């Protein structure tokens, strides 16, 4: 049957009509996205906020931050984009200072001990009563001022000045405590270059970085700033991607990010550094003047390559390659610290490492080692060295012979952090008549106190800091209160100033201020008079004061160090080879403790965000684990989660096994930071304190704790429990032909 | 509807050190509940952004690799069509949006999510009274029984757009910064508009080193990874 013309027109007309109707009935685009009549998150209207520049003081180093404040509550920490050490960035630890501020276990009022000492039983008292008691005790012992010991964290800035003048006016013994101190590095830099302040390595401009044990991406010196520099170092902005070589007996976070990780026998870093120097000298690839000046000392101390290989465990070929690369790829820089300094021959190691910089003459130059000048203010401490283990040993001995009557402790927890072998807790508990703590949390040392005068947290009070290390030029960061305290606490500095006033006489010498705010302001007036640097040419001080607070500090990029960059060294102090506590036959493993990436030496174990932050390498959280080589685990017949007893000549702790493919066979590693008996709900009763089994061995020359020099043995307990960790939480999505992690060997680098 | 912007991110694996600054910054900004030890043991910890660690080799030739992992905000997101109540949908700026007050907790989306970046609230989030002072008032606290995930800090995008409009100008590259990108000390994370040819992220998305994770699924992720550069690599991949 044929189709007539009329039929064809009718069909096509109907078809077109259908198409129009269909199109007309189409659901509009918007309807596909079903909209709710109530607010959806992207439509939320937020309130007014304000940002203030101040300081966060995590254990990883002081950071200049901006705090977002809404209705009097601090909401968010952000890095200060202006301040040279911060560059708008901040660490996990700085962020977590918000939890310190609003912590449910903060000490809310002054406390007086009611229970037995160390039981943690206290009653609330008024500030007037607390200040009265403190003053009465200090008056009582003013005839024997040396029997009063003031233990603080290493204090810089105006508070450093206030504390040290208070102590010296009174005649008290002043100590600075840091569980992992920089004493050895500081001593080496003092001997070599006459520097009191830590230098900064100009990693961002370097082509080659040789790092001996300094875990600068995790916890060493200024990790935030070094991470930022590392980003620039890796970037192609400089036209060249830098090479990082990490020399360390443990696979640290920095080793994980290095181009090459060179595994070395513990404590032999100095031998390696000298072998590298010797190759540079023999091949005449260093700086001519530098080589000439150091020739005698290197030749007298360097061992020949086969011996160096034997001692360090690093092959001769690798030593020669490092020497050639370091000399060839200048600017380059050599830094050292961490485990390399934490040995009985720490000073030998550090002196040998920092010598390398003088050999290639990179000091004060782009991509090299930059010295930091002192702050241009007379009332501000620029550097703060910690007291050594030997100093604390002496203090403990004086306590035991009843020569210490009063201990004042602030910002430091020596009862938790000193090696168990020192018996510091017992010495303090049994022999010191009066202990006052200025801590804002009930840590182990505060639990021993008779009187607690809780301090503010940095976001609530005035302060400042001379960045140490600084950016290579003069810089001072300022701290201002951004929220009101919600507990009844007072600034440590203010309490010291008021006590000095109350004691009268010579106590106020050099302390003309009533409060810390006065001290900070009078320092700012001096800065104003300098009329140079980041904030200048303001018509009045008041305007300058607002400007300097808004920007979070003051710095002068032109004010660099004028010190001589020539190394002065006749001999390398100390021994080339280290000694260890515990005989190798009985204690087969080197114990290499490390600062927890998130909680440092334990000062931040009370902050839940940081407890829940996975360790970068093992991904473990909320626990203490012992890292074991897969082969060692097989030989011991243990697997992950088995609980082991780790025994040193000085004690035993328990830890869960974590089998780490990067751990060397003769080494076990345990993170610091856990095992608190006090310190609030998030820290108490978790894991073990590795410091408690360390022997009190120290660097022979400086007396600093050699925390990497204890050997241990492992015993099975027969118990096991799963390791809380991030690893394994999600199913692996790795397909052989489509790896999640892809690596470029550099050919398609763009 | 015209698509004006398409938010995206570049993650440079060569710069990421695994420092976890982004992880904590995100938890602070987005009111993520405290991840207790038990949550990890039950594999129910919530991390909108996390650092995955991959191993390559064994001692002494060993490497650890870090990959920041977060919602990929896919153009063709497999989690979106399975939601029976439109609690998750794709908005016109390329965001994979989660509407908490629609979610009824079927968890179909998590089941369909190949990256495991969606999280179910198995418990009512609890903070001690004092810690609640820190909670970000721009972000809803999610109750028990609903899904949550990375929002590219949508509250920051909205705030910035509103402020910039008030200033009478257009949004330019670098105006919008999610909390993770802001904190990243090495600048490994870069955020911006992929539709803007002049933006940094758009440039990086065309880098010779770029790839997208699970690209073979065809979901068109908005996160571009840049390969780790390692001339001494043992292999060209790492294992989980």
């Amino acid at each position: 049957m044929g189709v007539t013309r009329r039929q064809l027109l009718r069909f096509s007309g109907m078809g077109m009509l259908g198409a129009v109707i269909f199109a007309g009935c189409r659901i509009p685009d918007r309807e596909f996205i079903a909209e709710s009549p109530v607010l959806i998150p992207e439509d939320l209207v937020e309130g007014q906020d304000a940002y203030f520049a101040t300081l966060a003081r995590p254990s990883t180093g002081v950071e200049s931050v901006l705090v977002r404040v809404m209705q009097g509550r601090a909401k968010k920490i952000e890095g200060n984009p202006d301040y040279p050490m911060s560059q708008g960035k901040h660490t996990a630890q700085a962020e977590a200072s918000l939890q310190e501020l609003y912590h449910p276990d903060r000490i809310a009022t002054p406390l007086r001990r009611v229970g037995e000492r160390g039981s943690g039983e206290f009653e609330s008292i008024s500030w007037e009563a607390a200040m009265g008691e403190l003053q009465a005790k200090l008056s009582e012992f003013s005839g024997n001022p040396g029997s009063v010991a003031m233990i603080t964290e290493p204090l810089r800035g105006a508070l450093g000045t206030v504390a040290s003048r208070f102590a010296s006016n009174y005649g008290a013994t002043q100590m600075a405590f840091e569980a992992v101190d920089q004493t050895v590095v500081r001593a080496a830099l003092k001997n070599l270059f006459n520097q009191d302040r830590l230098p900064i390595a100009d990693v961002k401009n370097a082509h080659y970085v040789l790092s001996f044990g300094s875990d600068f991406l995790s916890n060493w010196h200024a990790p935030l700033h070094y991470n930022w520099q590392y980003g620039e170092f890796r970037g192609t902005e400089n036209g060249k991607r830098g090479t990082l070589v990490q020399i360390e007996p443990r696979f640290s976070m920095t080793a994980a990010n290095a181009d090459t990780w060179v595994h070395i026998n513990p404590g032999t870093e100095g031998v390696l550094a000298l072998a590298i120097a010797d190759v540079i000298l023999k091949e005449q690839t260093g700086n001519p003047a530098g080589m000439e000046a150091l020739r005698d000392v290197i030749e007298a101390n360097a061992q020949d390559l086969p011996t160096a290989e034997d001692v360090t465990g690093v092959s001769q070929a690798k030593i020669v390659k490092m020497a050639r690369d370091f000399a060839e790829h200048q600017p380059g820089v050599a830094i050292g610290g961490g485990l390399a300094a934490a040995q009985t021959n720490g000073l030998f190691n550090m002196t040998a490492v920092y010598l390398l910089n003088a050999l290639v003459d990179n000091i004060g130059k782009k991509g090299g080692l930059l010295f930091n000048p002192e702050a241009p203010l007379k009332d501000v401490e620029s550097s703060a060295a910690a007291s050594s283990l030997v100093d604390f040993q002496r203090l403990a001995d004086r306590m035991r012979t009843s020569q210490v009557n009063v201990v004042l402790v602030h910002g430091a927890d020596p009862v938790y952090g000193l090696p168990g072998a020192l018996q510091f807790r017992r010495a303090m508990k049994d022999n010191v008549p009066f202990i006052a703590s200025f801590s804002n949390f009930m840590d182990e040392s505060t639990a021993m106190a008779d009187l607690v005068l809780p301090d503010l947290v940095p976001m609530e009070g005035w302060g400042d800091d001379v960045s140490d290390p600084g950016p290579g030029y003069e810089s001072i960061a300022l701290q201002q209160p951004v929220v009101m305290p919600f507990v009844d606490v007072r600034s440590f500095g203010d309490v010291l100033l008021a006590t000095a006033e109350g004691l009268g006489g010579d106590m106020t010498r050099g302390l003309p201020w009533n409060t810390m705010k006065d001290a900070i302001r009078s320092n700012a007036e001096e800065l104003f008079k300098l009329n140079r640097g980041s904030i200048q040419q303001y018509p009045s001080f008041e305007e300058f004061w607002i400007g300097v607070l808004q920007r979070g500090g003051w710095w002068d990029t032109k004010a660099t160090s004028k010190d001589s960059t020539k190394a002065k060294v006749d001999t390398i102090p100390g021994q080339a080879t280290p000694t260890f506590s515990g005989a190798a036959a009985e204690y087969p493993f080197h114990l290499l403790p490390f600062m927890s990436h998130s909680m440092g030496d334990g000062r931040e174990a009370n902050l839940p965000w940081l407890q829940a932050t996975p360790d970068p390498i093992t991904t473990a959280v909320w626990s203490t684990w012992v890292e074991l080589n897969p082969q060692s685990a097989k030989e011991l017949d243990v697997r992950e989660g088995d609980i082991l007893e780790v025994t040193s000549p000085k004690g035993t702790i328990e830890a869960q096994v974590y089998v780490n493919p990067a751990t060397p066979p003769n080494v076990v590693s345990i993170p610091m930071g856990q095992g608190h008996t006090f310190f609030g709900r998030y820290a108490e009763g978790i894991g073990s304190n590795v410091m408690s089994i360390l022997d009190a061995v120290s660097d022979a020359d400086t007396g600093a704790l050699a925390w990497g020099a204890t050997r241990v043995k492992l015993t099975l307990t027969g118990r096991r429990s799963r390791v809380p960790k991030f690893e394994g939480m999600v199913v692996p999505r790795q397909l052989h032909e489509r790896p999640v992690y892809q690596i470029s060997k550099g050919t398609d680098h763009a | 509807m015209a698509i004006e912007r398409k938010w995206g991110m570049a993650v440079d694996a060569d710069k990421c050190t695994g420092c976890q600054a982004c992880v904590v910054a995100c938890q602070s900004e987005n009111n993520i509940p405290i991840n207790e030890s038990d949550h990890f043991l039950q594999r129910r910890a919530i991390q909108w952004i996390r650092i995955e660690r991959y191993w390559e080799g064994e001692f002494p030739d060993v490497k650890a690799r870090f990959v920041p992992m977060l919602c990929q905000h896919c153009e063709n997101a497999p989690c979106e069509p399975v939601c029976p109540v439109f609690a998750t949908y794709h908005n016109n700026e390329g965001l994979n949006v989660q509407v908490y007050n629609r979610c009824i907790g079927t968890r179909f989306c998590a089941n369909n999510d190949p990256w495991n970046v969606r999280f179910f609230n198995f418990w009512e989030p609890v903070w001690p009274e004092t810690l609640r002072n820190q909670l970000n008032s721009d972000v809803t606290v999610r109750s028990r029984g609903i899904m949550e995930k990375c929002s590219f800090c949508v509250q920051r995008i909205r705030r910035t757009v509103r402020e910039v409009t008030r200033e009478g100008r257009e949004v330019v590259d670098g105006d919008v910064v999610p909390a993770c990108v802001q904190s990243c000390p090495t600048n490994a994370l870069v955020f911006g508009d992929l539709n803007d040819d002049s933006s940094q992220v758009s440039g990086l998305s065309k880098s010779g080193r770029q790839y997208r994770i699970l690209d073979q699924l065809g979901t068109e992720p908005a996160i571009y990874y840049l390969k780790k550069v390692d001339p001494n690599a043992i292999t060209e991949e790492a294992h989980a």
Side-chain angles (χ1 to χ4, degrees):
Chain A
M1 193 184 89
V3 178
T4 62
R5 182 172 169 271
R6 183 178 292 268
Q7 279 173 321
L8 179 72
L9 281 173
R10 190 188 299 150
F11 288 144
S12 54
M14 280 165 66
M16 279 163 70
L17 186 67
V20 169
I21 291 169
F22 189 77
C25 292
R26 189 177 160 223
I27 304 166
D29 278 347
R30 243 190 101 70
E31 291 300 313
F32 281 124
I33 299 166
E35 296 282 352
S36 158
V38 290
L39 283 178
I40 54 178
E42 53 169 331
D43 284 341
L44 275 178
V45 177
E46 61 278 297
Q48 286 293 310
D49 50 14
Y51 287 80
F52 297 102
T54 189
L55 298 184
R57 296 177 179 269
S59 65
T60 43
V62 182
E63 292 175 33
S64 181
V65 295
L66 301 183
V67 185
R68 180 177 186 227
V69 180
M70 292 182 83
Q71 298 194 319
R73 301 286 186 277
K75 296 292 180 186
K76 182 79 178 67
I77 298 274
E78 295 170 6
N80 181 349
D82 269 3
Y83 195 68
M85 294 300 283
S86 298
Q87 303 283 345
K89 304 299 177 184
H90 70 286
T91 58
Q93 292 82 351
E95 187 77 56
S97 55
L98 287 168
Q99 289 194 325
E100 185 190 32
L101 172 65
Y102 293 122
H103 202 288
D105 299 324
R106 267 187 79 175
I107 299 173
T109 61
L111 301 174
R112 182 193 288 132
R113 178 168 67 85
V114 288
E116 198 191 328
R117 177 176 277 179
S119 65
E121 287 168 42
F122 292 90
E123 63 175 358
S124 277
I125 54 171
S126 70
W127 268 102
E128 288 62 37
M131 298 281 285
E133 274 185 41
L134 177 70
Q135 208 169 304
K137 283 289 172 191
L138 290 175
S139 299
E140 185 184 336
F141 294 107
S142 60
N144 182 11
S147 73
V148 174
M150 181 197 255
I151 307 172
T152 63
E153 75 271 43
L155 289 172
R156 297 189 296 261
L159 184 58
T161 307
V162 168
S164 67
R165 287 186 189 166
F166 180 91
S168 71
N169 288 352
Y170 185 85
T173 312
Q174 200 189 358
M175 313 270 289
F177 175 73
E178 226 175 6
V180 174
D181 60 57
Q182 304 301 328
T183 308
V184 177
V185 176
R186 284 181 192 279
L189 292 160
K190 180 79 183 164
N191 290 348
L192 280 172
F193 305 114
N194 196 28
Q195 289 297 301
D196 290 315
R197 306 200 57 219
L198 296 171
I200 191 103
D202 190 16
V203 171
K204 66 177 185 301
N205 291 312
H207 291 169
Y208 196 82
V209 176
L210 209 48
S211 159
F212 294 78
S214 30
D215 194 2
F216 64 90
L217 294 179
S218 175
N219 267 310
W220 186 78
H221 286 188
L224 173 72
H225 189 71
Y226 274 125
N227 266 280
W228 171 74
Q229 289 218 18
Y230 174 86
E232 303 285 301
F233 170 78
R234 286 306 194 205
T236 49
E237 292 84 353
N238 301 330
K240 193 169 164 72
R241 180 180 182 275
T243 302
L244 168 64
V245 177
Q246 179 77 1
I247 299 149
E248 205 174 358
R250 186 183 84 83
F251 189 75
S252 65
M253 192 178 135
T254 309
N257 285 294
D259 297 275
T260 309
W261 168 49
V262 177
H263 166 250
I264 187 167
N265 293 330
T268 63
E269 289 86 350
V271 172
L272 178 66
L274 283 169
I276 290 172
D278 200 35
V279 173
I280 292 175
L281 210 57
K282 289 210 168 78
E283 297 186 347
Q284 288 290 305
T285 46
N287 173 271
M291 287 193 297
E292 201 41 53
L294 299 168
R295 178 177 303 279
D296 292 347
V297 72
I298 292 171
E299 282 176 352
N301 287 283
Q303 308 190 15
D304 59 59
L305 277 175
T307 316
E309 171 174 326
D310 205 39
V311 173
T312 61
V314 181
S315 74
Q316 294 180 48
K318 273 190 194 165
I319 298 174
V320 172
K321 183 170 165 35
M322 280 189 274
R324 287 184 182 155
D325 286 350
F326 183 60
E328 190 186 327
H329 299 294
Q330 286 293 323
V333 63
I335 50 176
L339 276 167
Q343 302 293 345
T344 54
N345 64 338
L347 190 60
F348 179 91
N349 293 336
M350 288 304 101
T351 309
V353 167
Y354 284 95
L355 255 182
L356 287 171
N357 296 300
L359 199 60
V360 293
D361 192 30
N362 67 13
I363 294 161
K365 294 189 178 152
K366 197 176 169 186
L369 200 65
L370 309 179
F371 292 153
N372 278 300
E374 301 269 319
L377 299 171
K378 65 179 191 312
D379 289 329
V380 167
E381 297 272 343
S382 288
S383 64
S387 310
S388 70
L389 178 76
V390 170
D391 295 332
F392 277 98
Q393 244 160 351
R394 277 195 211 111
L395 182 68
D397 289 341
R398 285 181 58 210
M399 285 176 180
R400 278 186 275 268
T401 51
S402 300
Q403 295 179 56
V404 179
N405 290 319
V406 176
V407 169
L408 309 176
V409 57
H410 171 265
D413 191 358
V415 171
Y416 168 83
L418 279 169
L422 228 60
Q423 301 275 328
F424 194 80
R425 181 177 190 277
R426 179 144 291 279
M428 205 155 120
K429 181 168 188 276
D430 296 348
N431 303 294
V432 180
F434 180 75
I435 302 168
S437 167
F438 300 86
S439 172
N440 35 33
F441 285 96
M442 189 55 69
D443 55 25
E444 280 77 354
S445 300
T446 304
M448 305 279 287
D450 302 293
L451 188 67
V452 184
L453 301 100
D455 191 9
L456 305 166
V457 300
M459 272 182 272
E460 296 164 341
W462 290 94
D464 60 2
D465 185 58
V466 183
S467 306
D468 189 33
Y473 44 86
E474 289 173 357
S475 68
I476 296 168
L478 286 189
Q479 171 197 318
Q480 60 176 328
V482 300
V483 290
M484 296 287 285
F486 72 101
V487 282
D488 186 17
V489 293
R490 285 188 193 176
S491 142
F492 173 56
D494 289 357
V495 170
L496 288 185
L497 289 169
T499 308
E501 182 75 32
L503 289 168
D506 280 350
M507 281 304 290
T508 53
R509 199 180 336 125
L511 298 172
W513 316 289
N514 289 323
T515 61
M516 285 307 294
K517 185 184 178 185
D518 293 348
I520 305 297
R521 252 182 87 96
S522 86
N523 288 334
E525 271 174 55
E526 278 189 63
L527 287 178
F528 173 65
K529 283 177 203 150
L530 288 175
N531 197 25
R532 61 179 169 89
S534 55
I535 316 262
Q536 54 177 310
Q537 289 171 346
Y538 275 79
S540 72
F541 170 68
E542 284 308 320
E543 282 164 277
F544 172 85
W545 174 240
I546 290 167
V548 85
L549 288 177
Q550 274 179 346
R551 294 192 76 183
W554 174 95
W555 53 96
D556 185 352
T557 51
K558 293 196 190 86
T560 52
S561 171
K562 304 283 181 290
D563 294 349
S564 162
T565 58
K566 298 284 172 286
K568 282 190 268 321
V569 59
D570 307 320
T571 175
I572 298 185
Q575 298 296 313
T577 44
T579 55
F580 297 95
S581 166
E586 194 185 346
Y587 301 98
F589 295 98
H590 286 283
L591 170 64
L592 302 182
F594 60 98
M595 284 172 88
S596 155
H597 173 66
S598 57
M599 298 176 297
D601 56 18
R603 269 180 275 176
E604 280 138 344
N606 59 341
L607 307 180
W609 278 337
L610 299 184
Q611 282 278 7
T613 298
D615 174 69
I617 305 293
T618 63
T619 77
V621 292
W622 295 95
S623 60
T624 299
W625 63 94
V626 48
E627 294 176 23
L628 214 53
N629 176 277
Q631 195 57 39
S632 314
K634 206 177 277 177
E635 282 161 20
L636 285 162
D637 193 24
V638 292
R639 60 196 169 109
E640 185 181 300
D642 279 336
I643 297 169
L644 292 182
E645 275 187 354
V646 183
T647 307
S648 79
K650 293 295 172 187
T652 300
I653 55 167
E654 288 189 351
Q656 289 171 287
V657 170
Y658 180 89
V659 181
N660 182 340
T663 300
N666 61 341
V667 154
V668 296
S669 292
I670 300 177
M672 300 176 189
Q674 303 281 22
H676 285 275
T677 47
F678 286 93
F679 212 22
R681 66 189 73 182
Y682 298 110
E684 283 164 23
I686 295 173
S688 315
N689 179 7
V690 67
M691 304 306 275
S692 69
I693 61 166
L694 291 189
D695 197 356
V697 282
S698 56
D699 169 53
D701 298 86
T702 62
L705 170 64
W707 45 268
T710 300
R711 300 183 67 104
V712 292
K713 62 181 175 188
L714 305 174
T715 337
L716 276 66
T717 62
R719 288 175 287 125
R720 70 186 317 273
S721 63
R722 279 173 56 212
V723 178
K725 57 173 186 168
F726 162 72
E727 187 178 51
M729 214 172 78
V730 294
V731 286
R733 298 167 302 278
Q734 189 90 339
L735 294 173
H736 184 67
E737 65 281 12
R738 287 286 187 144
V740 165
Y741 199 90
Q742 298 188 18
I743 296 159
S744 152
K745 292 205 170 187
T747 47
D748 52 358
H749 196 183
Chain B
M1 266 188 306
I3 292 181
E4 292 160 14
R5 300 189 192 93
K6 179 170 161 48
W7 299 111
M9 195 186 282
V11 180
D12 189 345
D14 198 31
K15 288 188 176 180
C16 176
T17 61
C19 78
Q20 309 272 349
C22 55
V23 175
V24 178
C26 168
Q27 293 179 351
S28 168
E29 172 77 16
N30 291 302
N31 299 340
I32 292 174
I34 293 166
N35 288 315
E36 291 166 21
S37 182
D38 260 4
H39 301 179
F40 282 95
L41 289 171
Q42 296 181 32
R43 298 178 177 165
R44 288 170 177 176
I46 298 179
Q47 291 183 329
W48 288 8
I49 183 168
R50 60 178 183 248
I51 306 292
E52 298 190 348
R53 190 267 295 114
Y54 291 81
W55 286 116
E56 203 189 329
E58 203 167 281
F59 179 82
D61 295 317
V62 64
K63 302 263 183 181
R65 310 295 194 186
F66 303 110
V67 189
M69 178 60 67
L70 64 163
C71 173
Q72 305 285 307
H73 292 273
C74 307
E75 195 61 44
N76 304 322
C79 54
E80 288 167 7
V82 291
C83 181
V85 292
F86 290 97
T88 182
Y89 72 94
H90 215 70
N91 85 353
N92 61 349
E93 294 188 5
L95 300 188
N96 175 265
V97 183
Q98 180 74 17
V99 185
Y100 305 127
N101 53 17
R102 281 186 200 153
C103 179
I104 55 170
T106 64
R107 294 157 63 195
F108 291 165
C109 55
N111 190 48
N112 243 28
D113 157 26
W115 289 267
N116 297 94
V117 286
R118 291 182 152 269
F119 303 90
F120 187 66
N121 281 279
F122 283 91
W123 303 276
E124 189 68 27
V126 181
W127 287 270
E129 191 57 35
T130 51
L131 276 181
R132 295 183 70 89
N133 284 315
Q134 182 273 326
L135 294 181
N136 186 351
S137 41
D138 298 346
V139 178
T140 318
V141 169
R142 288 75 59 184
S143 53
R144 186 172 71 92
I146 61 167
M147 296 298 301
E148 61 179 73
K149 59 172 279 294
C150 163
S151 66
F152 264 168
C153 286
V154 62
Q155 68 281 4
R156 289 185 172 215
I157 298 178
R158 293 288 165 260
R159 193 192 326 148
T160 307
V161 171
R162 204 168 295 140
E163 281 171 9
V164 161
T165 312
R166 206 176 297 143
E167 289 168 23
R169 65 176 177 93
E170 291 289 306
V171 175
V172 296
D173 195 30
D175 276 347
V176 181
V177 193
C180 56
V181 176
Q182 187 175 43
S183 73
C184 181
T186 62
N187 289 312
L189 307 178
V190 175
F191 182 82
D193 181 4
L194 288 167
N195 278 355
D196 172 5
D197 284 341
S198 64
S199 71
Q200 199 191 350
V201 67
S202 158
L204 290 170
S205 73
K206 298 176 188 92
S207 154
R209 282 193 290 141
Q210 72 81 19
Y211 69 104
R212 291 186 290 186
I213 290 177
L214 300 185
D215 202 14
Q216 69 273 24
L217 301 177
T219 64
E220 298 289 325
I223 311 247
Y224 289 84
Y225 286 82
L226 302 186
K227 290 178 190 174
K228 169 81 185 169
V229 180
D230 188 352
N232 312 318
I234 301 161
T235 59
E236 293 213 4
E237 61 184 82
H239 61 85

